[in-house]
Amino acid sequence: MAEQQHAQPDTDRTTMSTAIYSHPDCLRHDMGDWHPESPSRLQAIEDQLILARLDGLLERRLAPLAEVPAVLRNHTESALALVRDHIPPPGETYALDADTLLCHASYDAALRAAGAALAATDAVLKGELANAFCAIRPPGHHATPSAPMGFCLFNNVAIAARHALDSHGLERIAIVDFDVHHGNGTADAFRDDPRVLMASFFQHPFYPYTEPEALTATCVNVPVPAGSGGDVVRQVAREYWLPALHAHRPQMIFISAGFDAHRDDDMGGMALVEADYAWITREIMAVAREHAGGRIVSCLEGGYDLSALGRSVVAHLKVLAELD
Ligand SMILES: [Zn+2]
């Protein structure tokens, strides 16, 4: 895509809106009653959207199945085969690792999750939508190009970012990851790609126990200790993320929107609240407006306390839709 087509902000809130992409198949991926990455996460988000009276204000779009070649832009054939070729019969599960399991519906759910991110990217880049949130599972940011792991099968954000680069011809992209865990799969995918800036904080030391990377112009993944709250995260954003984002001038921003750094979420040990997610989203919106024509595609990652997850997604969406 020619630079000039995306150089100027073209967000027009009178004609463009925020959409939520999802699909019933994402509810059918079920790793067992014991598993925190459960279908009830998406139901909790729906409940809170209704409670907040947001459900009728946001456009709903059904996620298509991702085409396999789009998945293979980010993943090896063997990574795809690990999922596709181990789908068990109905009622059974197949463990890829101790906490990443497949059920009969998992391949379709994974293709819907990636398909949501891809379709949202197309719609935002075509100017049909101002931005989009993908209410999807399985999540993606731990999935490396060569292997599913950490509840993640395919890396939805990385697949969509590669689509934006390769199919739409974008030259500079940013991925902001505010999940409590390090987005190791995304970092692996773009470590040597100067077109893609990754900005995150992550609780350290913590799963997936990757060593903190050297900070560079396009790698701004900042470790923070357990117990960190909004003050620490805002400091990280002001000191590290925002200068790097403005220097990179992304033409589109993807968000790995995990909400497990919430203080009510026992999966992590951090202390964010809804207002922190709203603040982060506002800051990302401001960068997107300045450099990217407002274009943002946000994809659900973690978030396991059902009430906190739903409330935090509402806070995130209210800012994206400019309803806050
Ligand atoms: Zn997480």
Side-chain angles (χ1 to χ4, degrees):
M1 181 176 292
E3 173 88 3
Q4 61 271 20
Q5 282 178 267
H6 282 289
Q8 294 303 317
D10 55 14
T11 302
D12 177 357
R13 301 303 304 203
T14 60
T15 55
M16 291 200 289
S17 60
T18 297
I20 300 177
Y21 281 80
S22 195
H23 193 281
D25 283 352
C26 292
L27 292 165
R28 298 188 186 112
H29 168 61
D30 190 342
M31 297 188 281
D33 291 344
W34 59 274
H35 205 295
E37 204 291 278
S38 67
S40 50
R41 297 176 61 232
L42 295 185
Q43 288 156 347
I45 291 171
E46 285 302 318
D47 288 349
Q48 290 292 339
L49 288 174
I50 291 165
L51 266 174
R53 299 175 188 263
L54 274 184
D55 56 317
L57 298 175
L58 301 171
E59 184 178 338
R60 301 295 187 126
R61 294 194 175 191
L62 271 182
L65 292 165
E67 305 273 352
V68 164
V71 176
L72 293 178
R73 276 204 201 97
N74 189 63
H75 292 285
T76 60
E77 174 64 44
S78 63
L80 179 89
L82 271 173
V83 178
R84 182 194 59 206
D85 298 346
H86 292 103
I87 292 300
E92 296 181 23
T93 56
Y94 177 90
L96 291 167
D97 63 36
D99 50 24
T100 311
L101 295 89
L102 302 174
C103 75
H104 191 64
S106 296
Y107 184 53
D108 283 351
L111 291 181
R112 293 287 180 194
L118 288 162
T121 299
D122 285 336
V124 167
L125 280 168
K126 281 182 198 155
E128 293 171 18
L129 298 170
N131 54 45
F133 177 72
C134 300
I136 49 177
R137 49 184 297 281
H141 75 152
H142 293 306
T144 71
S146 59
M149 63 176 276
F151 310 173
C152 302
L153 300 182
F154 304 140
N155 193 319
N156 308 310
V157 159
I159 289 167
R162 290 206 183 278
H163 176 63
L165 293 165
D166 295 352
S167 302
H168 289 278
L170 296 198
E171 293 164 348
R172 296 179 310 280
I173 279 177
I175 299 171
V176 180
D177 184 330
F178 56 69
D179 192 277
V180 75
H181 301 97
H182 180 240
N184 60 299
T186 311
D188 278 4
F190 298 112
R191 182 160 291 121
D192 299 317
D193 191 338
R195 298 174 299 175
V196 181
L197 162 70
M198 182 176 178
S200 73
F201 65 80
F202 59 97
Q203 183 180 324
H204 179 74
F206 197 41
Y207 184 88
Y209 304 107
T210 34
E211 278 305 307
E213 304 133 296
L215 300 187
T216 69
T218 55
C219 172
V220 198
N221 300 324
V222 182
V224 298
S228 297
D231 53 341
V232 171
V233 164
R234 289 174 200 224
Q235 182 65 21
V236 165
R238 288 192 184 107
E239 194 171 327
Y240 296 99
W241 294 5
L242 296 175
L245 284 163
H246 285 296
H248 190 64
R249 296 183 296 118
Q251 295 160 299
M252 179 159 184
I253 301 181
F254 293 89
I255 303 177
S256 266
F259 297 93
D260 42 8
H262 195 285
R263 72 176 172 200
D264 294 347
D265 199 309
D266 293 338
M267 183 76 78
M270 287 182 61
L272 298 195
V273 295
E274 291 90 311
D276 296 313
Y277 292 113
W279 184 88
I280 295 169
T281 310
R282 253 182 244 115
E283 295 297 316
I284 298 170
M285 291 269 287
V287 174
R289 249 186 237 112
E290 186 166 340
H291 301 289
R295 288 178 286 274
I296 294 173
V297 169
S298 175
C299 295
L300 181 65
E301 300 284 0
Y304 304 97
D305 180 274
L306 296 179
S307 176
L309 170 65
R311 289 182 277 120
S312 300
V313 169
V314 164
H316 179 54
L317 269 168
K318 275 186 176 171
V319 176
L320 284 178
E322 298 186 39
L323 296 168
D324 61 328

